Amino acid sequence: MPLGIKPTVDFVFKKIFGSPENTLALKGLLNAILMLKRPVVEVNILNPFTMKEFAEHKLIVLDVRCRDSAGRSLNVEMQISVQSGLLERLVYYACSMYVDQLEAGQNYAQARSAISICLVNELIFRDSEQRHHRFQMVDLESRRELSDAIEVHTVELPKYNLDEATISRASKLDQWVFLLLRAHQYDSERLKQLLPHAEFHQAIETLETIAAKTEDRQMYNQREKALRDYEWTLAGALEKGREKGREEGRDAGIEFGKIQILQELLGDAVSTVSELQATSSAELASLLSSLQERMRNRAK
């Protein structure tokens, strides 16, 4: 019988990669994405999985923050959709990790890489077939890189061609994407045959636990419903935004409409068109991103 558990659901993703007993799976995912000269050997999870964070706060908790034995700070997250300001937020997270690693009085030379990783189940760069983007600090003329600095990775899951017949011989990153997108369609025995390495087996055994354990399965069902409801709400807000944009007869009206609908759904005071027209583009983008994040966090 198929496992029926999607690793892209926040509860599952965090339990697989954010559980201290699953560091083999986390290291496997990180090394598949980063392809570092010095691979990740050991990791210390800074925000480990707990049932309590899901049961009490009803948040969509997607990120796993960790530090490896080389001193690198890493944040890996799973997103089901592309929100306004996503790339800027990833850069901000990386910069925050870079700054926070040093305590007062420490030498700047002790700073190590801060790496922000986002796996997203939607397209970010629609004009490119490139699946994995790696942004670093590089001199444009000499191509010289600043090592031990800021780094941002995006992995667009829909761009991967996942073939069951060849997946066992594919790259490790292709195999992880296969697990994330297809695990729910297979039983654990077949999945282990397709993905024969130990790090995948650890992840698959976590999926088995969630499928079999009543408390875990109930939480999974709740979180999957929350994601569906969020997507439905956001799609409705976008369509209403388009309608308002057409009424306004201007491109900005679409963005204004999305903001107004989200404010209405969240119970905020709804901004007037004149107020939004007087707001800068940067401030509008920031407001929209904040409203979208609040809507995500309100999902039940």
Side-chain angles (χ1 to χ4, degrees), residues 97-115:
M97 289 190 295
Y98 191 77
V99 171
D100 291 345
Q101 68 179 296
L102 292 181
E103 298 179 0
Q106 281 190 294
N107 192 305
Y108 291 120
Q110 294 178 273
R112 294 294 177 263
S113 299
I115 304 173

Side-chain angles (χ1 to χ4, degrees), residues 27-87:
K27 288 186 293 183
L29 178 66
L30 292 173
N31 283 324
I33 295 170
L34 300 176
M35 298 293 289
L36 297 166
K37 293 179 180 178
R38 292 182 297 157
V40 175
V41 177
E42 297 295 338
V43 288
N44 176 33
I45 299 173
L46 304 178
N47 62 336
F49 168 89
T50 65
M51 181 68 77
K52 185 177 179 180
E53 67 183 336
F54 290 92
E56 290 188 355
H57 299 297
K58 298 180 181 177
L59 297 175
I60 296 179
V61 183
L62 292 166
D63 69 316
V64 177
R65 296 191 301 275
C66 60
R67 184 168 293 115
D68 76 348
S69 53
R72 293 172 292 219
S73 299
L74 305 109
N75 186 85
V76 57
E77 62 181 77
M78 176 73 226
Q79 291 290 338
I80 58 172
S81 59
V82 177
Q83 299 177 16
S84 176
L86 172 64
L87 296 175

Side-chain angles (χ1 to χ4, degrees), residues 105-285:
Q106 281 190 294
N107 192 305
Y108 291 120
Q110 294 178 273
R112 294 294 177 263
S113 299
I115 304 173
S116 185
I117 302 167
C118 183
L119 299 145
V120 61
N121 201 18
E122 194 174 273
L123 300 182
I124 302 174
F125 306 105
R126 296 179 180 274
D127 60 344
S128 170
E129 295 182 1
Q130 184 175 335
R131 305 176 297 181
H132 173 201
H133 283 78
R134 178 176 187 167
F135 302 97
Q136 293 179 302
M137 299 183 70
V138 181
D139 176 66
L140 294 178
E141 185 173 344
S142 68
R143 310 308 301 170
R144 182 173 289 112
E145 299 178 7
L146 286 182
S147 59
D148 287 330
I150 305 298
E151 196 168 309
V152 172
H153 291 252
T154 60
V155 181
E156 297 168 86
L157 304 186
K159 291 182 177 179
Y160 284 78
N161 296 315
L162 305 174
D163 186 347
E164 178 184 317
T166 60
I167 196 64
S168 62
R169 303 188 300 276
S171 73
K172 284 294 182 68
L173 182 51
D174 283 76
Q175 291 177 343
W176 279 114
V177 174
F178 185 90
L179 180 80
L180 291 170
L181 295 183
R182 299 281 187 86
H184 65 287
Q185 300 172 351
Y186 294 89
D187 61 52
S188 58
E189 183 178 350
R190 179 56 178 157
L191 205 52
K192 287 179 179 179
Q193 292 173 350
L194 293 170
L195 305 170
H197 299 286
E199 61 265 35
F200 298 108
H201 287 195
Q202 189 173 77
I204 295 165
E205 287 162 9
T206 302
L207 295 175
E208 289 180 290
T209 299
I210 295 171
K213 188 175 177 181
T214 301
E215 183 184 20
D216 283 354
R217 187 63 192 242
Q218 289 176 341
M219 184 59 71
Y220 169 79
N221 292 338
Q222 178 183 327
R223 301 312 305 154
E224 186 182 31
K225 179 180 182 297
L227 294 174
R228 287 199 306 268
D229 289 350
Y230 166 72
E231 287 295 293
W232 176 81
T233 301
L234 200 59
L238 179 59
E239 181 55 34
K240 287 185 178 180
R242 289 195 182 104
E243 291 175 5
K244 283 184 175 285
R246 287 191 289 269
E247 292 170 4
E248 290 296 319
R250 52 179 292 170
D251 292 340
I254 295 176
E255 189 170 46
F256 293 172
K258 286 193 287 185
I259 289 171
Q260 290 171 324
I261 294 299
L262 287 170
Q263 287 173 329
E264 182 179 340
L265 289 170
L266 290 164
D268 293 356
V270 178
S271 302
T272 65
V273 171
S274 59
E275 288 173 337
L276 294 172
Q277 286 174 335
T279 305
S280 71
S281 297
E283 290 172 328
L284 287 173

